[in-house]
Amino acid sequence: MERRDLEIFLTLAEELHFGRTAERLHVSTARVSQTIKKMERRIGVPLFERTSRQVTLTPVGQRFFDDVGPAFQQIEEGIARAVAAGRGVDGVLRVGFIGTAVGQFVIEVADLFHGRHPDCEVQIVECRYSEGITYLHSDQVDVMLVGAPSLKPDVTESAILFREPPVLAVSSRHPFARRESVSMDDLARDKVLRPRSFADEEDALVVPPTTPGGRTIERGTTFGTIQEMLALIGAGKGVFVVPTHARRYDARPDVAYVPIHDGQPFGWRLLWLTSGENARIRAFVRAATDYVHHHPDPLLAS
């Protein structure tokens, strides 16, 4: 049953007049009459009683109106909201992040974005490290700042906004804490923590399963949040690879950060569901790109 057919039925049920219905919908009276006859043939019973003086709903017609009317209205409102979201930069945009420093970066970008689009509210959402981009798929955020690419085919990513060298977070009592730097091969000399609920391929984006020399990197205790990770490291339960900004924003007396001289840099970029892309997301990506252009070291600027 076509959307236009339902619209004609519902309008006639309200007006109870073929002429007024046709005028309201900008169609001919014949079109209204033909549509109702077609629907009645499909359903198998009359929906309206027609006389020379009046038009009334039959009991079946009334029931059909009561059932279909609210659902049709909800669909129409949903379409209107989708069109508005796609065409205009207003409403609410939820932006997810993981970590203190990048949280400040997101706030700075949000301020720039809001200055350009004052009718759009930006809500900042802190995300658990171990949940990764599940926040996108569970519709908790619209766009998310992450330090590694997504492996999901239904996710779109921006160009890399900025890069950060990696450092190894170790206990301040660890032998590595006294070194100027370590290598990726050194990761095989201790247990590396693992984000809880990460799939192997997601985990490998930050810590590969083997070193460049072919040695296995043994994984240890799992963690859910950055604070859990740091507490485990401070207690000597393992080590983990983190971005350089942790040395400034996550400083702790029981944790040391040692540069990894041959490590893969973190590439920070924005991710969003391809099916959910709209004007708000595109405008936020532009704001983030412009902010980075004017701040060569965006984490220090924030």
Side-chain angles (χ1 to χ4, degrees):
M1 195 171 291
E2 299 292 333
R3 171 174 171 267
R4 186 60 162 172
D5 294 346
L6 288 173
E7 185 178 28
I8 289 173
F9 164 77
L10 293 169
T11 305
L12 181 58
E14 293 174 357
E15 294 289 350
L16 295 177
H17 191 282
F18 281 76
R20 288 196 298 269
T21 298
E23 183 178 355
R24 179 170 156 186
L25 297 178
H26 305 289
V27 298
S28 67
T29 303
R31 170 69 186 279
V32 176
S33 180
Q34 292 165 4
T35 298
I36 298 303
K37 288 178 180 178
K38 181 177 69 173
M39 294 179 69
E40 290 177 329
R41 285 195 301 269
R42 179 171 181 178
I43 293 173
V45 294
L47 300 175
F48 294 91
E49 291 285 354
R50 309 158 178 87
T51 69
S52 58
R53 294 187 176 183
Q54 64 178 356
V55 176
T56 58
L57 282 163
T58 65
V60 173
Q62 183 66 55
R63 176 64 182 272
F64 188 55
F65 176 79
D66 293 341
D67 289 343
V68 173
F72 185 84
Q73 181 65 28
Q74 187 174 6
I75 291 171
E76 290 290 280
E77 291 172 353
I79 291 172
R81 286 193 295 269
V83 170
R87 293 178 178 174
V89 184
D90 54 13
V92 177
L93 180 70
R94 301 163 300 171
V95 183
F97 71 93
I98 300 172
T100 307
V102 292
Q104 292 298 316
F105 169 76
V106 168
I107 290 172
E108 295 289 340
V109 173
D111 286 344
L112 175 60
F113 171 88
H114 187 68
R116 296 175 175 179
H117 309 285
D119 292 332
C120 186
E121 176 189 357
V122 179
Q123 295 179 353
I124 308 300
V125 181
E126 183 177 9
C127 305
R128 291 171 62 90
Y129 194 112
S130 62
E131 300 299 323
I133 64 168
T134 60
Y135 285 84
L136 290 174
H137 289 95
S138 60
D139 194 32
Q140 296 181 70
V141 299
D142 303 302
V143 63
M144 188 170 182
L145 182 69
V146 299
S150 168
L151 300 175
K152 304 296 185 181
D154 60 346
V155 171
T156 298
E157 62 182 58
S158 71
I160 293 177
L161 298 170
F162 58 93
R163 299 180 189 273
E164 274 191 283
V167 295
L168 187 65
V170 302
S171 167
S172 58
R173 302 183 302 276
H174 197 287
F176 288 170
R178 297 187 291 275
R179 292 172 55 171
E180 291 187 3
S181 69
V182 295
S183 68
M184 290 299 294
D185 278 309
D186 286 325
L187 268 62
R189 299 173 60 184
D190 204 329
K191 289 186 177 182
V192 178
L193 304 180
R194 177 172 180 143
R196 192 175 303 127
S197 78
F198 264 33
D200 290 343
E201 59 270 20
E202 294 174 310
D203 190 37
L205 292 174
V206 177
V207 180
T210 59
T211 70
R215 298 178 62 188
T216 299
I217 298 177
E218 187 176 355
R219 308 312 298 268
T221 306
T222 63
F223 66 90
T225 68
I226 291 177
Q227 293 307 314
E228 287 178 18
M229 175 192 73
L230 295 175
L232 289 167
I233 291 171
K237 303 298 183 182
V239 301
F240 196 68
V241 179
V242 297
T244 296
H245 74 250
R247 304 175 77 173
R248 177 184 179 191
Y249 287 91
D250 296 313
R252 295 170 52 124
D254 57 346
V255 176
Y257 298 98
V258 188
I260 305 174
H261 57 75
D262 59 349
Q264 179 72 23
F266 287 84
W268 293 95
R269 80 286 309 274
L270 292 164
L271 303 181
W272 61 92
L273 292 182
T274 304
S275 61
E277 181 174 327
N278 55 36
R280 290 189 293 269
I281 291 175
R282 290 191 291 271
F284 191 84
V285 172
R286 285 195 296 272
T289 302
D290 291 345
Y291 182 86
V292 170
H293 179 74
H294 290 95
H295 299 88
D297 194 339
L299 296 187
L300 289 178
S302 61

